[in-house]
Amino acid sequence: MTSEHVRLRPEIASIVPYRQGRPAAEDAFKLSSNENPFPPLPEVVEALSLTSVNRYPEGSAAALRERIGEKFGLSPEQVQVGAGSVSVLAQLIQAAAAPGDEIVYAWRSFEAYPLLVAAAGATAIEVPLTHGYRHDLRAMAAAVNERTRMIIVCSPNNPTSTVVTFAEFEELMASVPRDVLVVLDEAYAEFVNDPSAVRGHGLLERYPNLVVLRTFSKAYGLAGLRIGYAIGPEYVMDAARAVAIPLSVTEPAQRAALISLDHEDELMDRVGRLNTLRDRIWAGLAEQGWDTPEPHGNFVWLQVGPRVQEATEVLLRHGIVARALGDGIRVSVGEAESVDKLLSATSEVVGMRPTEAATGS
Ligand SMILES: Cc1ncc(COP(=O)(O)O)c(C=O)c1O
């Protein structure tokens, strides 16, 4: 007897597809997707109107790769642009790992990682965060074996907003075999002020197995256009290009990214303003008794415990759409007007955390 269903790869059929942050009601603040609350620059809007959408884009994003190369002192060949940095990560995973191969990353981290690894048919090795919600890089290094093809390090880590330090990262790089690709996902790099936090671009020369991911979605406010990039060794970028879906980076996205690089000062000023709100939120949370780790991205982490869904509903009642992930809630730093609402919601939720006696800690 034949089945009613077509035959899918079982490891794919069992995956829960990626869920986006909920859309917000009109009077609510959407703080569930780590987006930038500022509207696009007028120059970006103008550039978008110049595009001929009946034509395919210039597929290699040559002008943008050249420009990004200049920014980091690299050749255009050392840059790969994709429809969001998550696309470039998918390309790198496909290029490096096949069934039987392993990819090591911290957990909890960016939700796309397990999906992309499964899509490639590779095996995910998830290494728990420390009690301080940080990467445990020594444990990650210890998880490497002859099947390992990639280690993904996310700094600042989505969703906990913690960073990896230069010292920790360099210790990892020193212990990882040179034939294992290390991907440093720096989607939120522009929000980091801590001088001890790792910055990958200056390390590329020293570590030939390092690739750094950056995006225009967060600090540059172009999430809806889908554009991000990787920088790293030319032959690795070529391998990513080899598996890329052709022509998926649109012309408007390329134009908007170029314009945004022309207006970096203005955009970084916005980042500074968001960081001021972030610090206000963090201070407010500490006052309420939260043990939220110091946030370094444009979002904060609330470790709630088993009552996380209930807590998310409380936030919603206060007009805050946040993202429940596991036993915590991630809240993006958004409009200035959202801060007081958020803090009044969290003051209601703080008591929902398990007591120390209950957790035994
Ligand atoms: C850690 C991390 N990496 C990558 C991305 C993907 O960004 P994009 O594909 O929009 O460049 C995100 C988005 O939320 C993220 O949090």
Side-chain angles (χ1 to χ4, degrees):
M1 218 174 69
T2 56
S3 160
E4 296 260 316
H5 291 108
V6 297
R7 282 159 62 150
L8 299 173
R9 286 165 56 194
E11 73 276 22
I12 301 295
S14 63
I15 292 177
V16 180
Y18 182 85
R19 272 170 300 177
Q20 248 188 317
R22 293 202 219 186
E26 243 168 54
D27 55 345
F29 291 100
K30 180 171 184 273
L31 306 180
S32 52
S33 299
N34 293 349
E35 293 154 339
N36 191 318
F38 288 99
L41 297 174
E43 295 84 353
V44 165
V45 175
E46 194 196 326
L48 297 183
S49 70
L50 298 175
T51 313
S52 309
V53 293
N54 54 317
R55 304 286 178 199
Y56 283 114
E58 192 281 294
S60 75
L64 181 59
R65 285 193 295 116
E66 173 127 22
R67 188 61 195 284
I68 293 168
E70 275 166 24
K71 178 176 160 74
F72 294 108
L74 300 168
S75 71
E77 290 74 28
Q78 291 171 289
V79 182
Q80 163 64 345
V81 171
S85 59
V86 73
S87 297
V88 188
L89 179 59
Q91 294 160 13
L92 291 166
I93 290 175
Q94 263 196 302
D101 297 334
E102 295 181 356
I103 297 189
V104 176
Y105 54 84
W107 197 251
R108 180 166 286 278
S109 192
F110 182 33
E111 292 145 283
Y113 298 159
L115 305 180
L116 299 181
V117 173
T123 302
I125 305 296
E126 300 185 337
V127 177
L129 296 174
T130 66
H131 289 300
Y133 315 105
R134 305 185 65 241
H135 277 49
D136 187 344
L137 288 184
R138 287 190 181 160
M140 289 172 73
V144 172
N145 60 44
E146 71 286 350
R147 291 183 297 279
T148 311
R149 293 291 174 273
M150 183 186 290
I151 303 175
I152 308 173
V153 175
C154 186
S155 181
N157 185 48
N158 175 4
T160 58
S161 220
T162 52
V163 282
V164 164
T165 66
F166 261 113
E168 289 167 332
F169 190 74
E170 296 213 65
E171 187 184 315
L172 174 84
M173 292 309 291
S175 73
V176 168
R178 285 285 162 107
D179 61 357
V180 172
L181 179 60
V182 178
V183 174
L184 178 60
D185 185 343
E186 293 192 319
Y188 304 97
E190 296 83 358
F191 296 92
V192 177
N193 291 327
D194 184 344
S196 71
V198 67
R199 303 216 170 241
H201 57 273
L203 301 176
L204 289 174
E205 218 166 298
R206 185 141 26 118
Y207 302 113
N209 54 332
L210 175 62
V211 164
V212 178
L213 286 178
R214 302 283 285 263
T215 183
F216 288 98
S217 296
K218 310 295 179 180
Y220 295 82
L222 301 181
L225 286 171
R226 313 302 303 124
I227 188 153
Y229 59 96
I231 49 177
E234 183 175 337
Y235 76 96
V236 180
M237 298 298 101
D238 281 342
R241 285 188 264 278
V243 297
I245 295 173
L247 308 178
S248 55
V249 184
T250 67
E251 195 74 40
Q254 295 178 38
R255 280 177 190 268
L258 279 165
I259 300 267
S260 299
L261 289 170
D262 288 339
H263 292 81
E264 241 175 2
D265 289 350
E266 199 176 338
L267 292 167
M268 294 312 127
D269 180 65
R270 292 176 167 191
V271 166
R273 283 193 269 164
L274 290 170
N275 282 351
T276 304
L277 299 179
R278 174 184 74 189
D279 295 343
R280 235 179 86 203
I281 295 168
W282 187 47
L285 292 172
E287 229 167 80
Q288 293 172 3
W290 290 92
D291 70 340
T292 294
E294 180 177 0
H296 298 273
N298 62 338
F299 52 96
V300 297
W301 176 246
L302 304 171
Q303 181 71 31
V304 178
R307 295 173 69 186
V308 64
Q309 290 304 335
E310 203 184 325
T312 311
E313 291 303 317
V314 173
L315 263 63
L316 201 53
R317 264 198 278 116
H318 285 261
I320 301 293
V321 183
R323 188 79 183 273
L325 293 159
D327 56 4
I329 301 177
R330 189 194 66 200
V331 190
S332 313
V333 177
E335 292 79 354
E337 303 74 36
S338 67
V339 172
D340 289 342
K341 287 191 179 205
L342 171 62
L343 289 174
S344 81
T346 53
S347 71
E348 228 178 273
V349 167
V350 69
M352 290 183 178
R353 294 171 309 156
T355 59
E356 283 187 15
T359 57
S361 60

